[in-house]
Amino acid sequence: MLFSSILERSSATILTLFRTCKAISDLNQVHTHIIRRGCEQDQCLVAHFITVCSAVMPTNHSYPFSVFNCVSSPDIYLCNIMLKIQCKNSTLNECFSLLGRMKREFNVIPDKYTFPPLIKVCSKLSSLTEGRIVHGLTVRYGTERDVFVGSSLIDLYGKCGEIESARKMFDGMPVRNEVTWTAMMTGYLNFGDMDAARWLFVEMPNRTEATWNAMIKGLVKFGDLKSARKLFDIMPLWNAVSFTTMIDGYAKAGDMAAARSLFDELPEKDLVSWSALLSGYVQNGKPDEAVKVFGEMLTVNVKPDEFVLVSLMSACSQLGSLELAKWIESYMRNGSFDLTHLHVASALVDMNAKCGNMERASLLFEDMPKRDLVSYCSMIQGFCIHGQGVEAVLLFDRMIDEGIRPDDVAFTVVLTACSHVGLVDDGYRFFELMVHKYSISPSPDHYACMVNLLGKSGKLKAAYELIQSMPVESHAGAWGALLGACGLHCDIELGEEVARRLFEFEPLNGGNYVLLSNIYAEADRWLNVSHLRDRMAERGVRKIPGFSYVDSTTTH
């Protein structure tokens, strides 16, 4: 191939050829010639080779590692390069294993470039114990006071909630740079100490874009959008990150008008900013707007990634549009997206289930290489929506048999399914399972589901006793479900007692008055209807659209 004639010249020529390597086949050719020329012990060539390997094959570290292992006595430079690659792609144990080999097998003493990648991976995994071990090694080898090592340790302790340790490192550093100050500030933000974070932001000698963005992100996280916007407005140089942080903040606060306005001001919109806007509309229950944003993306030739498409599928689920669901799945298949990724496959199942195509949802679900709690809940909820309570219960039992541990949300879904079709025995069984096997304390929502189930099945006394036994403070949802059941079964006495409780919880909720009024009307107790209507007028309670009660002057 094109390398053949050139590779015979010199090691220097081989170094230049690394820049043209785009695929594993190119690397294999270069590697072959390195071996033929007897250069496999040339540490400079090997260092370049494993660096290019990690760039061309970022998820495959076995190949560069095998090349590294062929070097009999790697120096500190080569060891540090290999360790950095290992820290990006391997387990923490494998990283520590290579660190141990450096001293034990190669007689190489770690330096200030050895530890930051190790500390970074400990920080990413919140592995405080291992991080402290690395900290001890930095002290042993005299690198603790290096600005990059120290900054990495501050970041580690800050992310692990050890703010005092982070501050002790910060105060003991002889030299600090912008990274050091920003790491300490971010640590305070993660810890929730906004005052200390603000103080550091004001006091630091120099601020980078990362510093401004971190502070804005912290303010957004704590819901102080007003201060975040003030900081954003005085920022020396805006970038896509700062814009996207604010867009995401407005979206989480429910202010999509402000999010859209800021998005429109962004001069160069990247995929992340488009994704923030689209997902914001989805989170705020505006699926039509989300679909429009996706169309705009395609118009300006921005190719969506799988995360954007997951948000789009969520919008489609809200819309319940089977036609759009089919288009999205076709688009993804034609676009060579990997539909086997767990979050993508789960989103596809959820979309088809909520759009009414349970047959397709079931097929996708069964074809998943691995099913998790989210995908199971999507299917169970799909069965529930379409009145297939028995199928929902069977699938929940199958999930438990497969060893997947349900959470409180999963129990809410299955209890709702039981409630929809009146599966009282299964409802009791799951409620007991939740409490006694999985040690989940029932929430007001769980109690509301059970009350609704018992009430619809005519077990009004059992439903009332269950509310009375609640260890948590009962809320309007449970009492409202019982009042509806009292109306369904014409139980005036209990209905009056339940309504009295609801009037205490929600004195201005017209729906509760209407439900009680309907109970009276069904029993031809029109005087009670009239008194209740007068009571509503006295308290200034307005009827809720969609609710009505029979007017005694026209019906009686």
Side-chain angles (χ1 to χ4, degrees):
M1 201 179 163
L2 63 104
F3 295 132
S4 301
S5 59
I6 309 172
L7 284 171
E8 299 298 328
R9 300 177 189 172
S10 65
S11 297
T13 306
I14 296 175
L15 287 174
T16 63
L17 287 173
F18 281 130
R19 300 171 191 167
T20 64
C21 290
K22 303 295 182 186
I24 189 170
S25 56
D26 301 334
L27 288 167
N28 287 337
Q29 289 189 57
V30 176
H31 190 200
T32 299
H33 285 281
I34 288 174
I35 294 170
R36 284 179 179 174
R37 293 177 61 82
C39 297
E40 61 266 37
Q41 298 300 317
D42 186 325
Q43 302 210 31
C44 180
L45 276 180
V46 172
H48 276 80
F49 184 80
I50 62 175
T51 301
V52 173
C53 267
S54 67
V56 174
M57 303 179 296
T59 59
N60 182 358
H61 66 280
S62 58
Y63 186 19
F65 198 65
S66 65
V67 175
F68 171 82
N69 282 334
C70 290
V71 180
S72 56
S73 300
D75 59 16
I76 184 62
Y77 174 70
L78 183 56
C79 286
N80 283 343
I81 288 176
M82 192 62 240
L83 183 63
K84 188 175 182 180
I85 294 170
Q86 193 89 325
C87 287
K88 285 181 180 179
N89 302 294
S90 305
T91 65
L92 200 51
N93 285 338
E94 289 173 321
C95 297
F96 272 94
S97 175
L98 179 56
L99 180 67
R101 288 179 63 196
M102 287 172 62
K103 187 73 172 71
R104 187 178 61 255
E105 292 182 27
F106 311 140
N107 197 30
V108 169
I109 297 174
D111 63 10
K112 63 182 181 180
Y113 299 106
T114 305
F115 297 110
L118 263 177
I119 300 168
K120 185 176 180 180
V121 73
C122 290
S123 177
K124 182 181 177 182
L125 299 172
S126 298
S127 301
L128 181 60
T129 302
E130 289 80 1
R132 289 193 186 280
I133 292 171
V134 179
H135 188 176
L137 291 172
T138 66
V139 174
R140 179 190 298 178
Y141 292 108
T143 63
E144 180 194 25
R145 297 168 74 82
D146 174 75
V147 66
F148 294 106
V149 173
S151 298
S152 299
L153 286 168
I154 291 169
D155 180 66
L156 166 73
Y157 288 129
K159 286 180 178 173
C160 291
E162 295 287 318
I163 200 66
E164 290 182 5
S165 297
R167 185 68 203 221
K168 186 177 179 181
M169 276 297 309
F170 180 82
D171 290 337
M173 289 181 65
V175 179
R176 303 179 191 129
N177 62 12
E178 293 88 344
V179 176
T180 315
W181 283 86
T182 302
M184 189 67 243
M185 185 192 77
T186 304
Y188 277 124
L189 289 171
N190 291 334
F191 192 68
D193 192 339
M194 288 298 300
D195 291 336
R198 281 192 176 99
W199 183 87
L200 277 172
F201 182 80
V202 171
E203 291 296 316
M204 65 177 66
N206 297 299
R207 304 184 191 105
T208 63
E209 286 183 7
T211 309
W212 285 88
N213 287 331
M215 191 65 201
I216 291 170
K217 185 177 181 181
L219 290 166
V220 166
K221 178 183 175 183
F222 286 95
D224 191 354
L225 275 174
K226 188 176 179 181
S227 296
R229 184 58 193 254
K230 282 183 179 178
L231 208 61
F232 175 82
D233 288 338
I234 63 171
M235 194 175 176
L237 184 65
W238 291 321
N239 59 18
V241 175
S242 50
F243 268 95
T244 303
T245 300
M246 288 302 303
I247 290 166
D248 189 55
Y250 280 125
K252 283 183 170 62
D255 190 351
M256 286 309 299
R260 179 75 212 211
S261 176
L262 202 59
F263 176 81
D264 290 338
E265 292 178 29
L266 181 56
E268 294 184 11
K269 301 168 178 63
D270 62 6
L271 183 59
V272 179
S273 54
W274 280 101
S275 181
L277 183 67
L278 192 150
S279 63
Y281 280 122
V282 174
Q283 292 162 18
N284 285 281
K286 297 183 177 181
D288 288 310
E289 294 298 323
V291 174
K292 286 180 184 176
V293 169
F294 183 77
E296 291 175 41
M297 279 183 63
L298 298 185
T299 302
V300 295
N301 295 319
V302 175
K303 181 175 170 49
D305 63 4
E306 60 189 46
F307 298 102
V308 169
L309 286 163
V310 166
S311 291
L312 182 65
M313 284 188 274
S314 181
C316 182
S317 297
Q318 291 179 24
L319 290 168
S321 171
L322 185 56
E323 183 181 356
L324 179 59
K326 289 178 179 178
W327 183 90
I328 292 171
E329 190 170 346
S330 173
Y331 176 85
M332 294 182 73
R333 291 188 184 282
N334 293 335
S336 301
F337 288 93
D338 189 350
L339 306 188
T340 62
H341 283 179
L342 191 56
H343 65 291
V344 176
S346 294
L348 279 167
V349 169
D350 184 66
M351 178 179 69
N352 279 281
K354 287 179 179 171
C355 291
N357 193 348
M358 287 305 297
E359 184 179 349
R360 179 63 183 155
S362 297
L363 183 62
L364 288 165
F365 178 78
E366 297 299 339
D367 284 344
M368 289 180 71
K370 182 182 179 183
R371 288 172 284 276
D372 63 355
L373 181 61
V374 174
S375 54
Y376 263 104
C377 282
S378 294
M379 280 300 296
I380 294 166
Q381 193 171 36
F383 283 130
C384 175
I385 290 169
H386 300 292
Q388 297 173 269
V390 174
E391 289 82 354
V393 167
L394 290 172
L395 190 61
F396 192 89
D397 285 329
R398 173 183 160 188
M399 178 181 76
I400 291 174
D401 289 341
E402 287 192 8
I404 295 176
R405 182 184 178 87
D407 61 5
D408 58 332
V409 176
F411 277 107
T412 301
V413 172
V414 76
L415 288 173
T416 302
C418 291
S419 173
H420 279 191
V421 291
L423 300 173
V424 177
D425 291 340
D426 285 311
Y428 268 125
R429 178 167 63 89
F430 290 131
F431 195 82
E432 292 294 315
L433 196 69
M434 175 177 67
V435 175
H436 298 297
K437 182 175 180 180
Y438 294 102
S439 302
I440 297 174
S441 299
S443 70
D445 287 335
H446 295 131
Y447 279 106
C449 286
M450 284 301 297
V451 168
N452 194 37
L453 170 60
L454 294 170
K456 281 184 176 180
S457 303
K459 301 179 183 296
L460 301 180
K461 185 179 179 182
Y464 181 74
E465 290 174 350
L466 181 63
I467 296 179
Q468 296 286 68
S469 70
M470 286 173 63
V472 295
E473 185 178 350
S474 56
H475 69 0
W479 289 108
L482 183 53
L483 182 58
C486 289
L488 185 66
H489 297 283
C490 300
D491 191 326
I492 298 174
E493 184 179 351
L494 184 58
E496 287 178 325
E497 168 62 17
V498 173
R500 185 180 65 79
R501 297 293 186 97
L502 277 168
F503 296 158
E504 293 174 5
F505 280 118
E506 303 175 322
L508 298 179
N509 185 344
N512 298 325
Y513 290 87
V514 172
L515 283 172
L516 180 59
S517 180
N518 288 341
I519 294 173
Y520 285 142
E522 283 292 322
D524 286 338
R525 292 175 56 168
W526 303 108
L527 185 59
N528 293 107
V529 171
S530 180
H531 288 162
L532 193 61
R533 186 165 52 185
D534 291 341
R535 188 177 176 186
M536 288 178 68
E538 288 172 8
R539 295 191 175 187
V541 179
R542 300 178 61 187
K543 287 194 297 180
I544 296 176
F547 280 88
S548 65
Y549 50 79
V550 181
D551 190 331
S552 59
T553 60
T554 59
T555 308
H556 187 54

